Amino acid sequence: MTIVQSAVYEPLTEQKATALAVRLGLFRDGAPLLCREIGDGNLNLVFHIVDQETKQGIIIKQALPYAKVVGESWPLTLKRAVIESNALRTFASYVPQYVPNVYYSDESLAITVMEDLSHLQIARKGLIEGKTYPLLSRHIGEFIAKTAFYTSDFGMNQQEKKKLAQSFVNPELCKITEDLVFTDPFFDHDTNNFEDELRPDVEALWEDDRLRLEAAKLKRKFLTEADVLLHGDLHTGSIFASDDETKVIDPEFAFYGPIGFDLGQFFANLLLNALSRPESERRPLFDHIDQTWDVFTSVFSELWRTESVETYAATPGLLDEVLRQAFVDAVGFAGCEVIRRTIGLAHVADLDGIDQKVERLTAKRHALRLGRRLIVERAELAGTDGFRRLFVETER
Ligand SMILES: Nc1ncnc2c1ncn2[C@@H]1O[C@H](COP(=O)(O)OP(=O)(O)O)[C@@H](O)[C@H]1O
Ligand SMILES: CSC[C@H]1O[C@H](OP(=O)(O)O)[C@H](O)[C@@H]1O
């Protein structure tokens, strides 16, 4: 690959992104290139560049010095681009089948150049259309189990783990999660965003001392437990899927945190999709929750038994305790994510896209009751069947 001199930061345009791809030697000479900015996320620019003859494409993702969804009034570190490309490379060393190939990255331009995954579909979009993605949970369960185990004190040299954790210290992006997932939705904060009709339900949440205490405990875990390298934002909009392939993208929130966090985010986004469906079409979502947990526990347990580097790994009861705690935490984190995607700053199309206002408000009220009980009753769920039970009990 051609080496280009690193440049001073400037936001790319479609023209400049094309010129960069040519300078990097990513296309054959004279290829007729078409570039479009396709970013639909909250934070970054994403350029899709395709050779019109061969149909081969690449993606150039660039961080902006602010959060795109809010604008320049919310400055945001460009370092998130380095975190993202390093996380993709780290994950690729354990599960290359589940992440896009990174071709190039440049810290000063805050870009990651990666494999074009346009043959797949963003899982959130597909799930909203009613797709089921039969292998999604098998793949995500394995992705989480392997990345968690191999980056933990049980799966890697413990001195090396500390260095790796240092390289993923990600204070600004963690602060977004600390605020938007764990704090603001539980207070009358100006980042919150919900329909007027939901105000009585939301005010009831804000006055719920039991809920606030449990949300505080979950936030404390997120702040303090440097257990494994997390993706940090593993919602269904961060996953490309088809019937037989799954790729995880967008790990700019990666950091060392509690093992249950990615599981909880994924569970929550499956639940958010279930909340948008009629009862008769929800089953695949609950089956995905079961399957994610089953695959996660079996892959993680096998690695623990066969590859652990920690003397205490064989101590009877320890693995069970790690898995039990991971599950309880995941349930609580899922509850926080369900609530924040309903009344916080960043919503999801699964709920906001319900056209009929009455149905939409009904689904959102259901989400608030479900999220609350996931948080408050997380220790009593006793297995993934508990998600079904709470879902039904909170439907009314
Ligand atoms: N490797 C890729 N291949 C094809 N499209 C991509 C790729 N990465 C991102 N995209 C597109 O860009 C959108 C935004 O990307 P994402 O990484 O989620 O950005 P953000 O960090 O702003 O949320 C995705 O929803 C997808 O449509
Ligand atoms: C102001 S950031 C809000 C929200 O956006 C991120 O998601 P994404 O980059 O995938 O769109 C993340 O979930 C943040 O909490």
Side-chain angles (χ1 to χ4, degrees):
M1 183 194 299
T2 314
I3 303 295
V4 286
Q5 259 191 329
S6 71
V8 177
Y9 180 84
E10 61 170 343
L12 294 173
T13 58
E14 290 175 349
Q15 256 185 341
K16 285 179 178 163
T18 310
L20 176 65
V22 170
R23 280 207 307 284
L24 287 169
L26 292 168
F27 291 97
R28 67 206 163 92
D29 282 347
L33 300 181
L34 180 69
C35 176
R36 280 190 313 127
E37 201 281 312
I38 58 165
D40 60 359
N42 288 318
L43 297 176
N44 304 292
L45 297 174
V46 178
F47 297 93
H48 183 214
I49 308 174
V50 184
D51 179 330
Q52 292 298 95
E53 271 169 25
T54 64
K55 305 295 176 205
Q56 298 289 313
I58 60 153
I59 292 290
I60 301 182
K61 178 167 174 179
Q62 184 182 42
L64 288 163
Y66 53 87
K68 194 174 74 176
V69 68
V70 176
E72 294 185 36
S73 62
W74 188 336
L76 197 54
T77 179
L78 293 174
K79 286 202 186 115
R80 65 190 194 270
V82 179
I83 295 273
E84 174 156 347
S85 50
N86 286 345
L88 286 174
R89 289 185 173 113
T90 304
F91 295 150
S93 67
Y94 309 122
V95 280
Q97 68 276 35
Y98 299 137
V99 283
N101 206 347
V102 174
Y103 302 135
Y104 176 80
S105 60
D106 183 319
E107 182 166 358
S108 31
L109 275 177
I111 57 164
T112 305
V113 183
M114 69 185 113
E115 185 182 348
D116 178 12
L117 301 172
S118 305
H119 62 293
L120 305 175
Q121 186 180 27
I122 289 289
R124 186 185 305 288
K125 289 189 185 144
L127 290 171
I128 290 171
E129 289 167 10
K131 299 214 173 92
T132 51
Y133 299 123
L135 297 181
L136 178 68
S137 42
R138 196 176 291 264
H139 292 166
I140 293 298
E142 186 183 350
F143 170 86
I144 298 177
K146 289 191 171 162
T147 55
F149 177 78
Y150 284 119
T151 61
S152 76
D153 283 298
F154 289 77
M156 73 184 292
N157 175 289
Q158 296 171 351
Q159 298 304 299
E160 292 303 316
K161 181 226 166 182
K162 289 176 181 65
K163 286 189 209 150
L164 189 64
Q166 216 166 26
S167 74
F168 282 102
V169 170
N170 196 359
E172 289 191 46
L173 280 281
C174 284
K175 172 93 169 89
I176 291 178
T177 306
E178 289 150 21
D179 291 345
L180 297 187
V181 178
F182 291 109
T183 312
D184 300 357
F186 302 96
F187 293 83
D188 185 0
H189 199 280
D190 59 11
T191 58
N192 290 325
N193 171 24
F194 52 85
E195 289 97 330
D196 286 343
E197 291 86 341
L198 290 178
R199 181 157 284 277
D201 308 82
V202 176
E203 285 182 349
L205 281 190
W206 292 340
E207 285 157 18
D208 188 332
D209 291 339
R210 190 167 164 218
L211 174 66
R212 193 171 277 185
L213 172 62
E214 297 309 319
K217 290 181 193 169
L218 288 161
K219 179 177 178 181
R220 181 169 176 274
K221 252 183 191 292
F222 183 86
L223 285 163
T224 57
E225 266 183 30
D227 193 2
V228 302
L229 180 64
L230 293 169
H231 176 282
D233 192 27
L234 192 55
H235 57 85
T236 48
S238 298
I239 300 170
F240 267 109
S242 69
D243 277 357
D244 44 30
E245 220 183 330
T246 307
K247 298 273 185 186
V248 172
I249 61 164
D250 197 15
E252 69 198 307
F253 284 78
F255 79 113
Y256 260 78
I259 187 168
F261 187 72
D262 283 349
L263 284 163
Q265 298 281 99
F266 184 57
F267 290 160
N269 282 273
L270 295 172
L271 291 170
L272 286 159
N273 187 264
L275 283 157
S276 74
R277 292 188 182 204
E279 203 263 322
S280 58
E281 290 166 31
R282 288 176 188 153
R283 187 172 169 172
L285 284 313
F286 289 104
D287 290 348
H288 273 320
I289 292 180
D290 296 339
Q291 174 99 319
T292 305
W293 179 249
D294 290 350
V295 171
F296 168 77
T297 52
S298 76
V299 173
F300 190 87
S301 301
E302 181 62 14
L303 292 172
W304 180 287
R305 278 191 286 270
T306 57
E307 297 192 34
S308 191
V309 298
E310 164 56 46
T311 315
Y312 275 112
T315 308
L318 184 60
L319 173 60
D320 288 347
E321 173 53 20
V322 169
L323 294 176
R324 187 199 64 77
Q325 192 61 58
F327 183 73
V328 172
D329 294 348
V331 174
F333 292 139
C336 295
E337 172 75 357
V338 166
I339 288 178
R340 78 95 171 207
R341 293 294 190 183
T342 308
I343 60 169
L345 176 83
H347 287 201
V348 287
D350 313 58
L351 291 183
D352 278 1
I354 302 174
D355 287 335
Q356 297 297 319
K357 188 167 187 178
V358 174
E359 283 176 27
R360 189 171 64 249
L361 291 173
T362 301
K364 289 189 176 185
R365 290 196 180 98
H366 186 184
L368 294 180
R369 290 191 296 271
L370 175 63
R372 180 191 175 278
R373 287 194 57 189
L374 289 171
I375 294 171
V376 169
E377 297 173 34
R378 64 191 184 281
E380 288 116 61
L381 230 64
T384 50
D385 217 26
F387 284 104
R388 282 186 188 80
R389 179 176 59 78
L390 284 195
F391 196 97
V392 171
E393 287 177 12
T394 50
E395 186 159 25
R396 280 203 199 132

